Amino acid sequence: MNNKLNNQNFNSALFLSYIITEGFDPNNYANILELFQSANASMSQFLTPYNQYLLSRQVNYDELDKLNIDGAYGYLDENGILVPKTIYNDARFLQSREKSMYKRHGYGCPTIENFDVIIGNGNSQYTRHAAHLPQDQYLGFCMDKDSANLENSLKLYEHLVELINSYRREEYILARESISSGNKELCLLKRK
């Protein structure tokens, strides 16, 4: 378990460094939305000096509090941010409203319009919902080259690039980099 956690932190730090070299500058954004990861595996843990928000089905509120990360158990859907009505979310937001500056539907959660940029290391079935959003996006992954999920993740992002380019005038591409010393494959959806 500890090696897995260390590998997740390494992947997140490596992916954050990669997106910074590819043009992401957290100083250019008032509010950053991160998708996909748990707090312990997030890039948000390295971005706490900035206004970041972690939205994921892997969120654990104790981890968020320990790392001083704002966020919620939820995901993107076709309408934007969804923090579903669950007992878990009720316990967080209905009993401790002061923990978040955002208020919506009784839960403390933002709307997608609150964010200037969306970042994410990983993928999910909800990745496609980012395609029509106007925010800058730095979505991709850092994965072991021998991972069984590598080909499926590449196909998902290739499809996402096609989908985003069908909605927008800007042309997006997939940038890829292999790091042989760490046996890592990095893939990033980015503007040309």
Side-chain angles (χ1 to χ4, degrees), residues 3-4 10 16 23 25 48 54 75 77 80 86 88 94 103 105 110 117-118 123 135 137 139 158 165-166:
N3 286 340
K4 184 177 183 182
F10 178 75
L16 180 58
D25 182 351
T48 54
L54 178 61
Y75 51 90
D77 71 1
T86 64
Y88 189 56
L94 296 182
K103 300 291 177 213
H105 306 299
V117 64
I118 302 170
N123 59 56
Q135 288 82 1
Q137 297 178 24
L139 302 173
E158 288 168 355
N165 286 337
S166 72

Side-chain angles (χ1 to χ4, degrees), residues 51-189:
N51 291 326
Q52 92 302 349
Y53 192 90
L54 178 61
L55 181 72
S56 171
R57 296 188 93 155
Q58 296 183 40
V59 158
N60 175 301
Y61 291 118
D62 291 336
E63 290 175 1
L64 286 179
D65 292 342
K66 184 179 176 185
L67 294 169
N68 197 29
I69 297 172
D70 198 10
Y73 173 86
Y75 51 90
L76 284 182
D77 71 1
E78 60 276 356
N79 298 313
I81 292 175
L82 179 65
V83 177
K85 176 125 178 79
T86 64
I87 293 171
Y88 189 56
N89 281 333
D90 280 353
R92 173 66 169 204
F93 295 115
L94 296 182
Q95 296 176 16
S96 57
R97 294 175 188 217
E98 73 281 352
K99 291 192 180 218
S100 179
M101 67 179 134
Y102 305 104
K103 300 291 177 213
R104 180 178 157 213
H105 306 299
Y107 280 164
C109 66
T111 66
I112 194 66
E113 291 80 20
N114 292 113
F115 298 99
D116 309 310
V117 64
I118 302 170
I119 63 173
N121 174 17
N123 59 56
S124 81
Q125 66 188 38
Y126 304 104
T127 307
R128 71 184 185 284
H129 295 303
H132 70 281
L133 297 173
Q135 288 82 1
D136 288 347
Q137 297 178 24
Y138 293 89
L139 302 173
F141 60 84
C142 176
M143 193 176 292
D144 292 339
K145 287 181 186 179
D146 55 0
S147 171
N149 297 324
L150 182 61
E151 285 305 313
N152 286 338
S153 294
L154 283 170
K155 287 178 184 176
L156 182 126
Y157 274 96
E158 288 168 355
H159 176 70
L160 187 59
V161 167
E162 291 173 11
L163 192 59
I164 288 175
N165 286 337
S166 72
Y167 281 104
R168 299 180 178 202
R169 291 188 178 156
E170 302 105 310
E171 290 291 316
Y172 278 74
I173 60 169
L174 278 184
R176 287 181 63 188
E177 185 172 325
S178 291
I179 301 174
S180 57
S181 64
N183 193 37
K184 301 291 181 185
E185 185 74 25
L186 295 124
C187 177
L188 174 67
L189 172 100

